[in-house]
Amino acid sequence: CTLLNQPPAPKIPTRELTDDETISQAVIKEILKTPPVESNNPKIAFLFLTPGQLPFEPLWAKFFQGHEGRFSVYVHASKEKPVHTSHYFMGRDIHSESVVSPKIAAIKMQVSWGKISMVDAERRLLAKALLDSDNQQFVLLSESCIPLQNFDYVYNYLMLTNVSFIDSFVDLGPHGSGRYSEHMMPEVEKDDFRKGSQWFSMKRQHAIIVMADSLYYTKFRYYCKPNMEGRNCYADEHYLPTFFNMIDPVGIAKRSVTYVDWSERKWHPKSFKAEHITLKFLKNLTVSCHITLHFIYVPCLY
């Protein structure tokens, strides 16, 4: 678990940029040079991406209690509208947009695992949260995430950092670089292709850049999807890791602050039962590999 934070050597352009690349890079560079918007009341936006109910809502309510005014909550439920039990979550739901069909008046756009709609939902959450200028950090969570640290610890750690915690690494196997399509060229070359877990903590500057990007997003929309050229490519595992590796590699920590157990090497992370989540297990996580963790993904615990 050694962290290599050495800045990469500057890339030497090997070709002339396309017009779209030139425009995109100009916009991104200007955003990166722009100082963060000053806020007298900086907040963390907690973005919950969930199929429906939030089983750990009472636990999150205890986490938030007493810290009013220092956080915002946004819930994107893709299948069914959750019934909330805490006032911190009431009235905080956002919804997928509807598209007009010739046969049906409107169809709600579905969010499906492994498809670009997962990225669309993330962008929708970020867009809603960016409307509040006090939101300075944006944390993506799922219905199965719970906090490992208290609110003050999480708040101070994220507010005092100057990087975004976006998982991004090279995977040379069939489930990493093997998912790359040459249709992504010339904008995205194979050497730039990265992989990472979906959960992130992102500073405002980077959230704005995600909203501004259309060039690289479009490449992943069309050329990173299930059954693409006989391979399965999942945009939510590759778009942000690749995008930020290309546009601001020293601005991300290349790791997440959410613990996820992939040891079973399956399509989905390991599930836990109640007896697995002991005090010793949680304490070990908070100091494992000298990496600071704030949240844990515990599917099927409830």
Side-chain angles (χ1 to χ4, degrees), residues 178-276:
R179 296 173 174 176
Y180 174 79
S181 169
E182 291 187 353
H183 290 294
M184 290 189 178
M185 294 180 67
E187 292 85 0
V188 182
E189 298 180 6
K190 190 171 184 178
D191 287 345
D192 295 319
F193 199 66
R194 295 292 186 271
K195 184 178 180 179
S197 297
Q198 184 180 13
W199 297 270
F200 62 71
S201 174
M202 189 181 298
K203 60 183 181 179
R204 187 176 182 89
Q205 192 181 46
H206 282 162
I208 294 172
I209 289 174
V210 173
M211 294 295 96
D213 175 52
S214 61
L215 174 65
Y216 301 102
Y217 165 81
T218 300
K219 286 288 181 175
F220 281 86
R221 182 178 186 87
Y222 289 112
Y223 304 118
C224 182
K225 53 188 176 181
N227 299 318
M228 178 73 190
E229 300 173 337
R231 293 165 292 183
N232 290 316
C233 185
Y234 305 115
D236 59 285
E237 293 183 4
H238 297 285
Y239 168 57
L240 290 181
T242 301
F243 178 54
F244 281 102
N245 174 67
M246 294 178 65
I247 61 103
D248 192 18
V250 298
I252 62 173
K254 297 182 176 64
R255 65 177 178 87
S256 172
V257 289
T258 301
Y259 174 81
V260 187
D261 189 340
W262 293 99
S263 61
E264 294 180 340
R265 305 182 68 84
K266 296 180 179 179
W267 294 113
H268 298 286
K270 178 181 178 179
S271 297
F272 295 91
K273 294 182 180 179
E275 57 265 26
H276 297 149

Side-chain angles (χ1 to χ4, degrees), residues 18-34:
T18 65
D19 288 347
D20 286 341
E21 282 180 288
T22 301
I23 293 169
S24 179
Q25 289 197 12
V27 171
I28 289 169
K29 286 181 179 179
E30 284 302 309
I31 295 173
L32 288 173
K33 289 192 300 184
T34 303

